[in-house]
Amino acid sequence: GGKTVALKTAGLLSLMALSGVLALLNLRNIQVSILPTGILTSGEACPVAIRIDNRRRLPAILIELFLGQSKTMLPIIPGHSSQIIHLSWTPPQRGRPPWPRLMIGSGFPFSFVWRGWQLPLPESPWVAPAALDLSLSPSPRPSAVELEQAQAGELGEWTGLRDHRPGESAS
């Protein structure tokens, strides 16, 4: 009884250790790079193109990629080949906010142990401000009384388009 339980436990523990070692070997010679993107928009989900290169002759199996909260799993990447995937990222602010974490990992072959690491990222791309809903209809001109009562800078905001004046070019 007791020897059988100990033997089964030892067998399961060795399978777990073997699973972790095979997961690390599965990730060897896999290179990940973020492809150049255009200008992203803050507050909107934007696709980020990621290239995965398997530089060994054996296939890579059950590779997972995480970019912040977005993730995907690639069932197989054949040897000496590349795949391009797209993960979604919502930039929190405009300018050059930092990338979220990019992680690669694998649970191959038994998924007892997930092995992986965080990948270095290039400089983050430019993020444009979120689109504003600006009305292009002209606002009424302030009266003389309103102009006198207005505080400095109060009426200097852009309020619309003025009419075309004779003699002005169209551009």
Side-chain angles (χ1 to χ4, degrees):
K3 289 183 181 182
T4 306
V5 171
L7 187 60
K8 287 179 183 179
T9 304
L12 287 175
L13 290 174
S14 63
L15 277 177
M16 288 175 65
L18 179 64
S19 177
V21 170
L22 288 176
L24 287 175
L25 290 174
N26 190 40
L27 293 172
R28 281 188 54 215
N29 293 326
I30 301 290
Q31 290 191 336
V32 178
S33 57
I34 292 185
L35 300 177
T37 58
I39 296 177
L40 307 175
T41 303
S42 66
E44 291 183 13
C46 304
V48 175
I50 300 174
R51 179 185 173 120
I52 304 154
D53 294 312
N54 183 3
R55 297 186 176 226
R56 60 184 190 178
R57 61 182 174 84
L58 296 174
I61 301 169
L62 297 177
I63 302 295
E64 291 182 284
L65 276 173
F66 297 85
L67 181 65
Q69 300 298 320
S70 182
K71 72 176 186 171
T72 190
M73 178 185 283
L74 300 163
I76 190 164
I77 304 171
H80 297 292
S81 68
S82 300
Q83 288 188 5
I84 296 177
I85 62 159
H86 292 85
L87 290 176
S88 181
W89 176 47
T90 304
Q93 64 193 35
R94 69 184 209 164
R96 286 191 168 229
W99 284 108
R101 285 190 325 175
L102 176 63
M103 294 183 64
I104 186 170
S106 177
F108 176 78
F110 306 117
S111 294
F112 285 134
V113 179
W114 187 90
R115 295 286 185 188
W117 51 80
Q118 187 170 338
L119 298 168
L121 289 167
E123 187 175 334
S124 63
W126 282 104
V127 175
L132 298 175
D133 183 22
L134 294 177
S135 172
L136 295 180
S137 60
S139 64
R141 295 180 187 216
S143 68
V145 174
E146 290 173 324
L147 284 173
E148 287 178 17
Q149 293 174 350
Q151 298 293 322
E154 207 171 71
L155 297 175
E157 290 81 20
W158 183 80
T159 57
L161 298 176
R162 67 172 172 80
D163 294 332
H164 180 267
R165 294 182 183 158
E168 286 183 332
S169 67
S171 58

